[in-house]
């Protein structure tokens, strides 16, 4: 947990709920400047040399490449355009730069006229890790709750207390289950997701539970199982008829349904995996444990 300082603890801080978008963008521009100076965008965008002049990177025209990537104009140069960014512009820039960043590994120091480092070898994954850490540090000051995911997507942060469920690995050998759950999580959390997007994400989780239904008898009672699907089938998530109950605050209840079904999938899979492990003969369990330790 981040340290809180005196004014924050005593309600004296001028920004008790975080910074406005303009303040967060200003922070990021400064962080980007440091990363640029340290060579994290040299491979992609090139650099200046006092002897050789402009040394091109992999991307010769950043503005053109940005437009081809996100279909938006007037996003670059960063320092010139950032002041006019809307939230979606800012998040597009974060995702775009995540794709371009790379950590400098090898190079030489050009001492003439204090030219600086000229990097020649880079590693993308390491650069993306550093960039993500820096960006999430910046976003932690935003009055809204967002974060940059490990694959470079800006997503809404989980509700307090539910963070662990998004990093916990699903104990399933079914790629279809893992992929469907992962896609539903991204659909629900992505920036700008609509109520329909979130409803579809909940529906996808219910479909996963439908796939797991044959395994539920050993995990939950038949009444609990029936209640699970009753919520989805009669409250405007699945099916479409005039008997559906839809007079509820969708923004609140879709969030509740999403976490409820996601947690249920984890419970069913973990309990099933434990039951299957306990059903194995003792020697098979010992062999399995031995393989995990080795």
């Amino acid at each position: 947990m981040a340290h809180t300082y005196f004014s924050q603890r005593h309600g004296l801080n001028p920004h008790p709920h975080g910074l406005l978008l303009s303040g967060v963008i200003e922070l990021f521009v400064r962080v980007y400047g440091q990363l640029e100076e340290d060579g994290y965008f040299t491979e992609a965008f090139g650099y200046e040399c006092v002897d050789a002049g402009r040394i091109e990177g992999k991307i010769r025209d950043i503005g053109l490449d940005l437009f081809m990537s996100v279909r938006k104009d007037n996003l670059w140069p960063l320092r010139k355009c950032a002041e006019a960014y809307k939230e979606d512009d800012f998040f597009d820039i974060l995702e775009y730069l995540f794709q371009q960043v790379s950590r400098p590994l090898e190079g030489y120091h050009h001492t003439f006229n204090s030219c600086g480092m000229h990097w020649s070898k880079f590693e993308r994954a390491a650069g993306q890790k550093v960039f993500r850490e820096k960006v999430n540090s910046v976003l932690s000051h935003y009055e809204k709750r967002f974060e940059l995911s490990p694959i470079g997507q800006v997503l809404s942060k989980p509700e307090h207390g539910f963070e662990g469920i998004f990093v916990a690995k699903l104990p399933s050998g079914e790629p279809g289950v893992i992929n469907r759950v992962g896609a539903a999580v991204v659909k629900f959390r992505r920036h700008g997701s609509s109520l329909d997007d979130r409803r579809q994400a909940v529906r996808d989780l219910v479909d996963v539970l439908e796939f797991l239904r044959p395994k539920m008898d050993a995990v939950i009672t038949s009444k609990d199982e029936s209640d699970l699907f009753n919520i989805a089938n009669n409250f405007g998530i699945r099916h479409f008829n005039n008997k559906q109950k839809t007079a509820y605050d969708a923004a609140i209840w879709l969030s509740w349904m999403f976490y409820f079904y996601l947690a249920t999938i984890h419970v069913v899979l973990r309990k099933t995996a434990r039951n299957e492990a306990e059903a194995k003969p003792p020697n098979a369990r010992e062999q399995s444990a031995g393989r995990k330790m080795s």
Side-chain angles (χ1 to χ4, degrees):
M1 181 178 293
H3 181 77
T4 56
Y5 289 87
F6 181 87
S7 66
Q8 296 169 319
R9 295 195 305 273
H10 294 274
L12 302 173
N13 193 275
H15 306 288
H17 304 297
L19 300 177
L20 298 175
L21 178 64
S22 58
V24 174
I25 291 175
E26 183 179 344
L27 278 181
F28 174 72
V29 170
R30 294 168 66 181
V31 168
Y32 173 82
Q34 293 179 346
L35 289 170
E36 182 184 42
E37 186 177 328
D38 292 340
Y40 278 78
F41 292 96
T42 296
E43 182 181 28
F45 301 155
Y47 62 96
E48 298 287 342
C49 175
V50 296
D51 283 336
R54 179 68 187 168
I55 306 299
E56 297 288 354
K58 290 183 175 180
I59 299 172
R60 295 169 57 192
D61 187 332
I62 305 172
L64 173 63
D65 192 67
L66 254 172
F67 188 83
M68 296 290 287
S69 299
V70 303
R71 296 194 295 274
K72 286 184 179 180
D73 208 352
N74 300 318
L75 296 181
W76 202 264
L78 178 67
R79 292 174 181 84
K80 177 182 176 182
C81 299
E83 190 174 328
Y85 285 169
K86 301 186 295 293
E87 187 179 74
D88 60 293
D89 299 327
F90 178 47
F91 290 167
D92 282 340
I93 283 290
L94 295 182
E95 294 189 358
Y96 174 79
L97 291 176
F98 179 86
Q99 301 301 324
Q100 313 310 328
V101 69
S102 56
R103 183 175 182 176
L105 299 178
E106 295 179 9
Y108 73 95
H109 188 251
H110 188 191
T111 58
F112 178 71
N113 202 23
S114 301
C115 188
M117 283 298 300
H118 290 351
W119 300 102
S120 57
K121 186 176 180 181
F122 306 86
E123 184 180 351
R124 170 165 288 190
Q128 289 177 331
K129 182 176 184 295
V130 171
F131 181 76
R132 179 171 176 257
E133 290 171 354
K134 297 283 188 181
V135 166
N136 283 337
S137 178
V138 169
L139 290 177
S140 70
H141 295 284
Y142 192 20
E143 62 179 357
K144 300 180 184 179
R145 292 171 50 81
F146 288 98
E147 64 183 2
L148 190 65
S149 78
I151 61 171
Q153 293 182 323
V154 176
L155 303 175
S156 62
K157 274 189 173 182
E159 299 292 335
H160 288 296
F162 289 93
E163 295 87 353
I165 201 169
F166 291 112
V167 296
K169 186 177 180 181
L170 280 173
S172 174
E174 294 280 352
V177 168
I178 295 173
N179 293 339
R180 182 67 69 90
V181 171
V185 167
V186 170
K187 188 179 298 181
F188 189 87
R189 294 180 59 200
R190 70 186 176 194
H191 174 245
S193 62
S194 65
L195 289 179
D196 282 340
D197 293 329
R198 296 186 171 202
R199 187 174 291 105
Q200 180 60 55
V202 174
R203 187 180 301 129
D204 289 343
L205 294 182
V206 178
D207 288 344
V208 170
L209 280 173
E210 192 76 64
F211 177 82
L212 298 174
R213 202 164 189 170
K215 300 180 179 182
M216 285 189 185
D217 289 344
V219 178
I220 61 177
T221 67
S222 58
K223 182 183 183 305
D224 290 335
E225 178 184 332
S226 176
D227 289 341
L228 276 174
F229 293 98
N230 175 59
I231 295 172
N233 294 338
N234 296 308
F235 286 80
I237 302 302
R238 299 202 302 181
H239 311 312
F240 182 70
N241 57 59
N242 56 13
K243 297 181 180 179
Q244 294 282 302
K245 300 176 179 65
T246 57
Y248 55 82
D249 189 325
I252 294 175
W253 286 102
L254 285 175
S255 291
W256 175 81
M257 291 181 204
F258 177 81
Y259 286 109
F260 172 69
Y261 284 121
L262 182 59
T264 302
I265 289 171
H266 275 269
V267 169
V268 169
L269 288 174
R270 293 179 191 284
K271 182 62 176 174
T272 299
R274 183 181 302 174
N275 290 346
E276 291 174 351
E278 292 174 350
K280 290 180 181 179
N283 60 337
R285 291 202 298 270
E286 291 172 3
Q287 292 174 3
S288 177
R291 284 196 297 271
K292 289 181 180 178
M293 292 180 63
S294 61

